[in-house]
Amino acid sequence: MDERFNRWLLPPLLALLFLLIVYQYVSPACPGAVCLRRPPASAARRGGDPAERDEEEEAAAALPRLVAKFPFARGELCRRVRFDMRGRDVIVFLHIQKTGGTTFGRHLVRNIRLEQPCYCRAGQKKCACHRPGGDKDTWLFSRFSTGWSCGLHADWTELTSCVPAAMERRGCAGNRTLRNFYYITMLRDPVSRYLSEWKHVQRGATWKTSLHMCDGRSPTPDELPTCYEGDDWSGVSLQEFMDCSYNLANNRQVRMLADLSLVGCYNLTFMNESERNMILLLSAKNNLKNMAFFGLTEFQRKTQYLFERTFNLKFISPFTQFNVTRASNVDIGEDVRQRIEELNFLDVQLYEYAKDLFLQRFQYSKQEEHQKNRLKRREERRLLREQRGHQWPREEAAEAAVTEDYNSQVARW
């Protein structure tokens, strides 16, 4: 009796066990082997994919709100250069004194990941930055690649009139009219830059070999007097440095970025001072805005990010932000700071403009990057859903066949 009872009881128990196993895998709440998290009620009310909503919220939280001071068009914020390393494109670095240009210049020749890295000999400042493929032409015009070919710390006025001819004098192949010159520079907070230049001059720097070429000639001694007698200005006090009215440290960044030919070069009698200052500032702003790239000393990582995005080039090592400099170690009172700002009132306005443009470009690029990544992840999710959709009928058919086979065996029992 017990044996017959067990024989009748065993098949239903096995069938029930099989159904439980099948239900675990084909339950509508968990298609396949992956259970998708149910969207929260708040996400359902907002609509859309909750994962995409989360990404948007994270992206918004990651970027602090920027209150723009100057209106810029989209084309002025989106800086993308199709830099052709193998072609005729050249990066021209306009190196303004005491803006971190030496450090940035070394990054250009030693820290960019290139198919053919710049060749830098030990003990020599200049490196050979040739194009890939054996071409001896250079893709970089800077202190550490071509040297001071247009003069020591040549400004915008000098470089734009000198660089094409200088490239030809170097024996670079090709017609200069086919070249694309992409100008770049670095800017710095005017007070910090001014103090840094003072400390540099105090140690003996002069830059007296600078040409200051404009409209085909250098300025006369009357147009550009010197602030000191003798070989240098070593040991100069900050007060003496500020008291020299024709000190080139005053508003240096505006002067080096403006088209000086618009104001009669260094001839101060060409027009009245207020008109000259207005033209210089507007010219410097316009030239800076139209450059392929500019960075700010105070934002090293953002400078690296924007350069990489602009030229589609990658640095090997990250930039380092130095918060302690010779300028930061100078202890000045509020009255001295105000005096320096007055002496550099054009640079102060330029830097405010440049900082706003720089941060707007950074935020625009970050938002563009987030949008691109979000669309990429959305496409990946779509493909994954399609893949699961194709797999699901095959899995159903296989499970149905297993069920039918088992039912037939139960029927035979």
Side-chain angles (χ1 to χ4, degrees), residues 135-153:
D135 192 343
K136 296 301 181 183
D137 192 9
T138 183
W139 57 269
L140 177 63
F141 193 97
S142 75
R143 167 190 180 182
F144 292 119
S145 57
T146 55
W148 300 114
S149 300
C150 289
L152 179 63
H153 287 285

PDB file of all heavy atoms in Angstrom, residues 135-153:
ATOM      1  N   ASP A 135      58.870  64.432 -41.609  1.00  0.00           N
ATOM      2  CA  ASP A 135      58.892  65.824 -42.046  1.00  0.00           C
ATOM      3  C   ASP A 135      59.647  66.664 -41.013  1.00  0.00           C
ATOM      4  O   ASP A 135      59.358  66.603 -39.823  1.00  0.00           O
ATOM      5  CB  ASP A 135      57.459  66.332 -42.182  1.00  0.00           C
ATOM      6  CG  ASP A 135      57.380  67.670 -42.918  1.00  0.00           C
ATOM      7  OD1 ASP A 135      58.426  68.335 -43.025  1.00  0.00           O
ATOM      8  OD2 ASP A 135      56.289  68.025 -43.368  1.00  0.00           O
ATOM      9  N   LYS A 136      60.618  67.441 -41.442  1.00  0.00           N
ATOM     10  CA  LYS A 136      61.417  68.268 -40.535  1.00  0.00           C
ATOM     11  C   LYS A 136      60.712  69.583 -40.192  1.00  0.00           C
ATOM     12  O   LYS A 136      61.243  70.387 -39.428  1.00  0.00           O
ATOM     13  CB  LYS A 136      62.785  68.559 -41.154  1.00  0.00           C
ATOM     14  CG  LYS A 136      63.646  67.312 -41.352  1.00  0.00           C
ATOM     15  CD  LYS A 136      63.890  66.597 -40.029  1.00  0.00           C
ATOM     16  CE  LYS A 136      64.770  65.371 -40.224  1.00  0.00           C
ATOM     17  NZ  LYS A 136      64.963  64.630 -38.954  1.00  0.00           N
ATOM     18  N   ASP A 137      59.554  69.805 -40.779  1.00  0.00           N
ATOM     19  CA  ASP A 137      58.781  70.997 -40.450  1.00  0.00           C
ATOM     20  C   ASP A 137      58.311  70.906 -38.994  1.00  0.00           C
ATOM     21  O   ASP A 137      58.112  69.810 -38.449  1.00  0.00           O
ATOM     22  CB  ASP A 137      57.581  71.094 -41.392  1.00  0.00           C
ATOM     23  CG  ASP A 137      56.891  72.433 -41.316  1.00  0.00           C
ATOM     24  OD1 ASP A 137      57.431  73.336 -40.659  1.00  0.00           O
ATOM     25  OD2 ASP A 137      55.806  72.577 -41.906  1.00  0.00           O
ATOM     26  N   THR A 138      58.113  72.046 -38.341  1.00  0.00           N
ATOM     27  CA  THR A 138      57.684  72.050 -36.948  1.00  0.00           C
ATOM     28  C   THR A 138      56.215  72.425 -36.840  1.00  0.00           C
ATOM     29  O   THR A 138      55.699  73.228 -37.625  1.00  0.00           O
ATOM     30  CB  THR A 138      58.525  73.026 -36.101  1.00  0.00           C
ATOM     31  OG1 THR A 138      58.119  72.942 -34.734  1.00  0.00           O
ATOM     32  CG2 THR A 138      58.362  74.464 -36.574  1.00  0.00           C
ATOM     33  N   TRP A 139      55.546  71.860 -35.866  1.00  0.00           N
ATOM     34  CA  TRP A 139      54.134  72.170 -35.631  1.00  0.00           C
ATOM     35  C   TRP A 139      53.967  73.174 -34.485  1.00  0.00           C
ATOM     36  O   TRP A 139      52.845  73.596 -34.193  1.00  0.00           O
ATOM     37  CB  TRP A 139      53.350  70.899 -35.297  1.00  0.00           C
ATOM     38  CG  TRP A 139      53.886  70.148 -34.104  1.00  0.00           C
ATOM     39  CD1 TRP A 139      54.809  69.153 -34.117  1.00  0.00           C
ATOM     40  CD2 TRP A 139      53.554  70.370 -32.725  1.00  0.00           C
ATOM     41  NE1 TRP A 139      55.071  68.719 -32.831  1.00  0.00           N
ATOM     42  CE2 TRP A 139      54.306  69.448 -31.956  1.00  0.00           C
ATOM     43  CE3 TRP A 139      52.680  71.236 -32.071  1.00  0.00           C
ATOM     44  CZ2 TRP A 139      54.220  69.392 -30.570  1.00  0.00           C
ATOM     45  CZ3 TRP A 139      52.593  71.182 -30.681  1.00  0.00           C
ATOM     46  CH2 TRP A 139      53.359  70.260 -29.956  1.00  0.00           C
ATOM     47  N   LEU A 140      55.092  73.566 -33.854  1.00  0.00           N
ATOM     48  CA  LEU A 140      55.022  74.442 -32.683  1.00  0.00           C
ATOM     49  C   LEU A 140      56.012  75.596 -32.813  1.00  0.00           C
ATOM     50  O   LEU A 140      57.204  75.388 -33.037  1.00  0.00           O
ATOM     51  CB  LEU A 140      55.330  73.641 -31.420  1.00  0.00           C
ATOM     52  CG  LEU A 140      55.372  74.412 -30.092  1.00  0.00           C
ATOM     53  CD1 LEU A 140      54.008  75.018 -29.775  1.00  0.00           C
ATOM     54  CD2 LEU A 140      55.836  73.505 -28.954  1.00  0.00           C
ATOM     55  N   PHE A 141      55.499  76.809 -32.645  1.00  0.00           N
ATOM     56  CA  PHE A 141      56.335  78.014 -32.654  1.00  0.00           C
ATOM     57  C   PHE A 141      56.322  78.569 -31.237  1.00  0.00           C
ATOM     58  O   PHE A 141      55.358  79.189 -30.800  1.00  0.00           O
ATOM     59  CB  PHE A 141      55.774  79.047 -33.641  1.00  0.00           C
ATOM     60  CG  PHE A 141      56.716  80.182 -33.944  1.00  0.00           C
ATOM     61  CD1 PHE A 141      57.520  80.166 -35.071  1.00  0.00           C
ATOM     62  CD2 PHE A 141      56.798  81.280 -33.088  1.00  0.00           C
ATOM     63  CE1 PHE A 141      58.384  81.224 -35.356  1.00  0.00           C
ATOM     64  CE2 PHE A 141      57.651  82.335 -33.361  1.00  0.00           C
ATOM     65  CZ  PHE A 141      58.449  82.314 -34.493  1.00  0.00           C
ATOM     66  N   SER A 142      57.412  78.335 -30.504  1.00  0.00           N
ATOM     67  CA  SER A 142      57.468  78.772 -29.111  1.00  0.00           C
ATOM     68  C   SER A 142      58.924  78.893 -28.673  1.00  0.00           C
ATOM     69  O   SER A 142      59.838  78.470 -29.374  1.00  0.00           O
ATOM     70  CB  SER A 142      56.742  77.772 -28.194  1.00  0.00           C
ATOM     71  OG  SER A 142      57.518  76.599 -28.011  1.00  0.00           O
ATOM     72  N   ARG A 143      59.094  79.429 -27.497  1.00  0.00           N
ATOM     73  CA  ARG A 143      60.430  79.621 -26.932  1.00  0.00           C
ATOM     74  C   ARG A 143      61.205  78.309 -26.877  1.00  0.00           C
ATOM     75  O   ARG A 143      62.395  78.266 -27.172  1.00  0.00           O
ATOM     76  CB  ARG A 143      60.282  80.207 -25.534  1.00  0.00           C
ATOM     77  CG  ARG A 143      61.549  80.184 -24.699  1.00  0.00           C
ATOM     78  CD  ARG A 143      61.236  80.557 -23.258  1.00  0.00           C
ATOM     79  NE  ARG A 143      62.427  80.541 -22.421  1.00  0.00           N
ATOM     80  CZ  ARG A 143      62.414  80.785 -21.110  1.00  0.00           C
ATOM     81  NH1 ARG A 143      61.274  81.041 -20.503  1.00  0.00           N
ATOM     82  NH2 ARG A 143      63.534  80.745 -20.410  1.00  0.00           N
ATOM     83  N   PHE A 144      60.525  77.221 -26.494  1.00  0.00           N
ATOM     84  CA  PHE A 144      61.217  75.945 -26.294  1.00  0.00           C
ATOM     85  C   PHE A 144      61.251  75.070 -27.542  1.00  0.00           C
ATOM     86  O   PHE A 144      61.706  73.935 -27.490  1.00  0.00           O
ATOM     87  CB  PHE A 144      60.575  75.176 -25.143  1.00  0.00           C
ATOM     88  CG  PHE A 144      60.793  75.819 -23.797  1.00  0.00           C
ATOM     89  CD1 PHE A 144      59.725  76.252 -23.036  1.00  0.00           C
ATOM     90  CD2 PHE A 144      62.074  76.003 -23.300  1.00  0.00           C
ATOM     91  CE1 PHE A 144      59.921  76.847 -21.796  1.00  0.00           C
ATOM     92  CE2 PHE A 144      62.285  76.599 -22.067  1.00  0.00           C
ATOM     93  CZ  PHE A 144      61.203  77.025 -21.312  1.00  0.00           C
ATOM     94  N   SER A 145      60.780  75.591 -28.666  1.00  0.00           N
ATOM     95  CA  SER A 145      60.878  74.824 -29.914  1.00  0.00           C
ATOM     96  C   SER A 145      61.666  75.602 -30.964  1.00  0.00           C
ATOM     97  O   SER A 145      62.683  75.126 -31.462  1.00  0.00           O
ATOM     98  CB  SER A 145      59.477  74.481 -30.443  1.00  0.00           C
ATOM     99  OG  SER A 145      58.708  75.658 -30.627  1.00  0.00           O
ATOM    100  N   THR A 146      61.225  76.809 -31.289  1.00  0.00           N
ATOM    101  CA  THR A 146      61.906  77.614 -32.297  1.00  0.00           C
ATOM    102  C   THR A 146      62.762  78.717 -31.686  1.00  0.00           C
ATOM    103  O   THR A 146      63.428  79.453 -32.413  1.00  0.00           O
ATOM    104  CB  THR A 146      60.864  78.256 -33.242  1.00  0.00           C
ATOM    105  OG1 THR A 146      59.921  79.001 -32.458  1.00  0.00           O
ATOM    106  CG2 THR A 146      60.128  77.194 -34.038  1.00  0.00           C
ATOM    107  N   GLY A 147      62.710  78.855 -30.350  1.00  0.00           N
ATOM    108  CA  GLY A 147      63.451  79.932 -29.708  1.00  0.00           C
ATOM    109  C   GLY A 147      62.724  81.263 -29.864  1.00  0.00           C
ATOM    110  O   GLY A 147      61.571  81.319 -30.308  1.00  0.00           O
ATOM    111  N   TRP A 148      63.413  82.345 -29.529  1.00  0.00           N
ATOM    112  CA  TRP A 148      62.814  83.676 -29.650  1.00  0.00           C
ATOM    113  C   TRP A 148      62.997  84.182 -31.082  1.00  0.00           C
ATOM    114  O   TRP A 148      63.642  85.196 -31.326  1.00  0.00           O
ATOM    115  CB  TRP A 148      63.441  84.643 -28.657  1.00  0.00           C
ATOM    116  CG  TRP A 148      63.298  84.255 -27.216  1.00  0.00           C
ATOM    117  CD1 TRP A 148      64.299  83.907 -26.358  1.00  0.00           C
ATOM    118  CD2 TRP A 148      62.092  84.197 -26.446  1.00  0.00           C
ATOM    119  NE1 TRP A 148      63.796  83.621 -25.101  1.00  0.00           N
ATOM    120  CE2 TRP A 148      62.429  83.802 -25.128  1.00  0.00           C
ATOM    121  CE3 TRP A 148      60.739  84.441 -26.732  1.00  0.00           C
ATOM    122  CZ2 TRP A 148      61.494  83.644 -24.116  1.00  0.00           C
ATOM    123  CZ3 TRP A 148      59.808  84.286 -25.728  1.00  0.00           C
ATOM    124  CH2 TRP A 148      60.173  83.896 -24.441  1.00  0.00           C
ATOM    125  N   SER A 149      62.422  83.484 -32.038  1.00  0.00           N
ATOM    126  CA  SER A 149      62.650  83.805 -33.457  1.00  0.00           C
ATOM    127  C   SER A 149      62.097  85.163 -33.861  1.00  0.00           C
ATOM    128  O   SER A 149      62.545  85.753 -34.854  1.00  0.00           O
ATOM    129  CB  SER A 149      62.034  82.722 -34.346  1.00  0.00           C
ATOM    130  OG  SER A 149      62.612  81.464 -34.064  1.00  0.00           O
ATOM    131  N   CYS A 150      61.118  85.670 -33.131  1.00  0.00           N
ATOM    132  CA  CYS A 150      60.544  86.982 -33.444  1.00  0.00           C
ATOM    133  C   CYS A 150      60.884  88.011 -32.378  1.00  0.00           C
ATOM    134  O   CYS A 150      60.236  89.061 -32.285  1.00  0.00           O
ATOM    135  CB  CYS A 150      59.028  86.868 -33.596  1.00  0.00           C
ATOM    136  SG  CYS A 150      58.514  85.993 -35.087  1.00  0.00           S
ATOM    137  N   GLY A 151      61.888  87.701 -31.575  1.00  0.00           N
ATOM    138  CA  GLY A 151      62.288  88.617 -30.521  1.00  0.00           C
ATOM    139  C   GLY A 151      61.886  88.098 -29.150  1.00  0.00           C
ATOM    140  O   GLY A 151      60.958  87.294 -29.011  1.00  0.00           O
ATOM    141  N   LEU A 152      62.593  88.568 -28.144  1.00  0.00           N
ATOM    142  CA  LEU A 152      62.341  88.139 -26.765  1.00  0.00           C
ATOM    143  C   LEU A 152      60.941  88.550 -26.327  1.00  0.00           C
ATOM    144  O   LEU A 152      60.588  89.721 -26.359  1.00  0.00           O
ATOM    145  CB  LEU A 152      63.400  88.756 -25.842  1.00  0.00           C
ATOM    146  CG  LEU A 152      63.306  88.441 -24.353  1.00  0.00           C
ATOM    147  CD1 LEU A 152      63.487  86.956 -24.096  1.00  0.00           C
ATOM    148  CD2 LEU A 152      64.348  89.251 -23.579  1.00  0.00           C
ATOM    149  N   HIS A 153      60.127  87.577 -25.932  1.00  0.00           N
ATOM    150  CA  HIS A 153      58.745  87.817 -25.500  1.00  0.00           C
ATOM    151  C   HIS A 153      57.993  88.697 -26.502  1.00  0.00           C
ATOM    152  O   HIS A 153      57.410  89.726 -26.148  1.00  0.00           O
ATOM    153  CB  HIS A 153      58.712  88.457 -24.107  1.00  0.00           C
ATOM    154  CG  HIS A 153      59.062  87.508 -23.004  1.00  0.00           C
ATOM    155  ND1 HIS A 153      58.195  86.532 -22.559  1.00  0.00           N
ATOM    156  CD2 HIS A 153      60.179  87.384 -22.263  1.00  0.00           C
ATOM    157  CE1 HIS A 153      58.753  85.855 -21.576  1.00  0.00           C
ATOM    158  NE2 HIS A 153      59.975  86.327 -21.389  1.00  0.00           N
TER     159      HIS A 153
END
